[in-house]
Amino acid sequence: MDNPARGRIFAGMEHDCDILIVGGGLNGPALALAAATAGLKSIVIDALPEAARTQEDFDGRGYALALSSVRMLDNLGLWERLEPNAQPMREIKVTDGRVGDAQVFLGLHFDSAEIEEGPMGQMVEDRYLRRALLEAMEANPHVDQRAGETVIAQHTGPGGISVTLASGETLRARLLVGADGRQSGTAARAGIRRTGWGYGQTALVCAIAHDAPHHGVAHQFFMPPGPLAILPLPGNRSSIVWSETDAQARAINALPDEDYLEVLRPRFGDFLGEISLAGKRFVYPLNLTLANSFIAERLALVGDAAHGMHPIAGQGLNAGLRDVAALADVLSHAQRRGEDIASPLVLARYQQWRRFDTASLAAATDLFNRLFSNDNALLRLGRDLGMAAINAVPGLRRGFIREAAGITGDLPELMRD
C-alpha cells in the first residue's frame, strides 16, 4: 500500500507534537504507542478524568483479541504484562439455536490445533488492557496526555492543524486523528458524513461465573432475536454479549439481577452448570455506521470513528487495532522518506489500505445478522446446511480459522510475527 510519489515537505506552523489524538479509550493510546516506535510524538486527549481512567475494579467488560492483535500488543511491549491475566481461545463453536435448545450443537467448530500459530485469540478484561496502555503511555517520552478534556473546535491551517480544548488550551500538530467513537466529533467538525442504520437490537453485556470449566471454548449461539456470545475469561468465568430486540432488551435490563439471570439461563443452557453474575451489566444499542471518508485535510479516523459494526463476529476492536497498525505503518514510512505525514498522498495510502477491508467486514456482519436473526424455516435450513458444508471441508475450515485469527490479508508490520 505504498506510493513512491512524495507529498509536499512540511513547513510552517509551530507544533506541540506530530499527532493530536482525540479519544483515550483503546485505539487512541495504541496509536500513540505505535507512532512512538517511529519517533513521532503524540498528545492523547481523553474526555474521561484521570480517576475514571485508572480504576482497576472488574466491571464485566472483556475483549476478544485476534492473534494479529495479540502480536501487535506484543510488538508494542505490552503482552508480557497482559498475558498472565489473559485467557486463550482454543476453540470456537457456532450454533444455530433457539431458546431452549442452545446447548445442542449444530453448526461450526473451529479448533486452533488445526493451525500452526497457536490459539486463535485471547480474551483480556478491559481493566487490564486499559491500565497497560495508560502505564505504557506514561512511561513513553514521545507521548503526552490531557485527561478530562474535550475538543470544542479544530482548525486546519497551511502547515498544520489545531484544536481548542474546553479548558481554553490550544494544541497544534501536523496531523489530527479521531479515535473518538461512533459519534465522532472530530469527523463531524471536518464535515465527514456517515452512512448506516440501526438494527432494532440492543446488546446486553455482562460477565458470569459458572460451575464447570469452559476449557477455553468460545460459543456463538444464533437465536431469532439476535446472537448470544459466550467468551471464556480466566477461571470459571465468561463474558456475555447477548442481543435482543430493543424493547425486550430494555425490559430485561430493568429486571433485578436474579430475574435477569432467569431470562438468560434458558438461552445459555446448562452446559457450564449453574451461573451467577460476576460484574456490572451494560447495554449498547446496535447499529452500523461507516464514515464516508476515513480522511480529510490533515485528519484521519480510526476505530469506531471510522466504522462501527455489529458485534456478531467480535471484530470491532480488532478492526480498530488494524486501522491503528496500518496508519502507524504508513506514517512511519512517510517519516523515513521525509514526507509531510499529513499530506493528501500519505493519508490516501491509509484510506486505500483500510476502507475496502472495513466496508467488506461491515457488510459481512450485517449480512450474517440479517441471515441468522430470524426463525424462518427455509433460511434456517439453508444456513445450517452451509455451516455443515464448511465444517466438513478441512481446507475451508482452516481458512475460516485463520480469518478469525486475523492473520490473512495485507498485514501491517506491527501485526506480523
Side-chain angles (χ1 to χ4, degrees), residues 274-289:
E274 185 54 44
I275 62 173
S276 59
L277 286 171
K280 298 177 184 178
R281 292 156 40 182
F282 301 88
V283 290
Y284 299 104
L286 299 179
N287 66 336
L288 173 70
T289 173

Side-chain angles (χ1 to χ4, degrees), residues 62-180:
Y63 304 103
L65 296 173
L67 175 57
S68 58
S69 297
V70 172
R71 287 176 177 173
M72 176 179 171
L73 294 171
D74 191 28
N75 287 327
L76 291 175
L78 299 176
W79 189 246
E80 185 176 359
R81 174 187 173 90
L82 291 167
E83 188 173 19
N85 295 303
Q87 169 60 55
M89 290 188 293
R90 305 186 188 284
E91 299 177 53
I92 299 175
K93 291 186 176 182
V94 182
T95 306
D96 192 4
R98 289 190 186 91
V99 173
D101 68 2
Q103 67 272 30
V104 178
F105 180 72
L106 178 63
L108 297 171
H109 181 201
F110 299 146
D111 190 333
S112 58
E114 294 190 56
I115 60 174
E116 299 175 353
E117 290 84 356
M120 290 169 277
Q122 303 270 349
M123 282 296 297
V124 177
E125 295 167 21
D126 177 84
R127 56 175 170 169
Y128 297 125
L129 182 54
R130 196 173 297 267
R131 185 70 183 175
L133 288 165
L134 286 173
E135 293 187 353
M137 285 196 297
E138 289 167 4
N140 196 307
H142 285 83
V143 182
D144 195 2
Q145 302 176 67
R146 297 290 191 278
E149 285 280 15
T150 55
V151 175
I152 59 172
Q154 63 198 48
H155 174 71
T156 305
I161 191 163
S162 66
V163 301
T164 303
L165 305 182
S167 63
E169 183 180 11
T170 298
L171 298 171
R172 301 168 181 83
R174 301 160 73 186
L175 174 67
L176 177 65
V177 175
D180 46 347

Side-chain angles (χ1 to χ4, degrees), residues 43-344:
I43 297 176
V44 178
I45 304 164
D46 190 352
L48 284 179
E50 189 67 29
R53 299 170 83 217
T54 56
Q55 287 180 351
E56 295 190 7
D57 293 342
F58 178 48
D59 64 8
R61 289 179 296 172
Y63 304 103
L65 296 173
L67 175 57
S68 58
S69 297
V70 172
R71 287 176 177 173
M72 176 179 171
L73 294 171
D74 191 28
N75 287 327
L76 291 175
L78 299 176
W79 189 246
E80 185 176 359
R81 174 187 173 90
L82 291 167
E83 188 173 19
N85 295 303
Q87 169 60 55
M89 290 188 293
R90 305 186 188 284
E91 299 177 53
I92 299 175
K93 291 186 176 182
V94 182
T95 306
D96 192 4
R98 289 190 186 91
V99 173
D101 68 2
Q103 67 272 30
V104 178
F105 180 72
L106 178 63
L108 297 171
H109 181 201
F110 299 146
D111 190 333
S112 58
E114 294 190 56
I115 60 174
E116 299 175 353
E117 290 84 356
M120 290 169 277
Q122 303 270 349
M123 282 296 297
V124 177
E125 295 167 21
D126 177 84
R127 56 175 170 169
Y128 297 125
L129 182 54
R130 196 173 297 267
R131 185 70 183 175
L133 288 165
L134 286 173
E135 293 187 353
M137 285 196 297
E138 289 167 4
N140 196 307
H142 285 83
V143 182
D144 195 2
Q145 302 176 67
R146 297 290 191 278
E149 285 280 15
T150 55
V151 175
I152 59 172
Q154 63 198 48
H155 174 71
T156 305
I161 191 163
S162 66
V163 301
T164 303
L165 305 182
S167 63
E169 183 180 11
T170 298
L171 298 171
R172 301 168 181 83
R174 301 160 73 186
L175 174 67
L176 177 65
V177 175
D180 46 347
R182 299 186 184 207
Q183 305 296 323
S184 173
T186 306
R189 285 186 292 270
I192 297 175
R193 304 184 69 176
R194 309 186 76 85
T195 299
W197 47 82
Y199 287 114
Q201 296 172 315
T202 294
L204 298 116
V205 180
C206 64
I208 59 163
H210 39 78
D211 291 341
H214 48 55
H215 302 296
V217 181
H219 295 266
Q220 179 104 4
F221 297 137
F222 287 110
M223 312 289 191
L228 166 66
I230 303 171
L231 307 170
L233 293 172
N236 283 12
R237 297 179 305 141
S238 293
S239 177
I240 303 297
V241 183
W242 165 24
S243 300
E244 291 282 347
T245 62
D246 290 338
Q248 182 74 352
R250 283 194 298 270
I252 294 169
N253 195 54
L255 296 172
D257 286 354
E258 190 49 46
D259 292 339
Y260 179 96
L261 286 169
E262 283 303 311
V263 179
L264 175 59
R265 284 186 179 105
R267 291 158 170 79
F268 191 98
D270 59 3
F271 70 105
L272 290 177
E274 185 54 44
I275 62 173
S276 59
L277 286 171
K280 298 177 184 178
R281 292 156 40 182
F282 301 88
V283 290
Y284 299 104
L286 299 179
N287 66 336
L288 173 70
T289 173
L290 291 173
N292 291 353
S293 175
F294 287 8
I295 59 173
E297 187 178 2
R298 294 199 169 274
L299 182 148
L301 303 176
V302 297
D304 281 359
H307 46 77
M309 57 195 75
H310 198 287
I312 196 167
Q315 291 300 311
L317 178 57
N318 294 305
L321 291 177
R322 193 173 285 214
D323 293 344
V324 166
L327 181 57
D329 209 336
V330 167
L331 298 180
S332 174
H333 282 86
Q335 175 81 346
R336 287 201 295 268
R337 286 196 295 261
E339 293 178 280
D340 175 0
I341 62 169
S343 76

Side-chain angles (χ1 to χ4, degrees), residues 352-363:
Q352 183 183 1
W353 195 342
R354 292 299 300 140
R355 186 159 171 76
F356 178 77
D357 283 352
T358 52
S360 299
L361 180 59

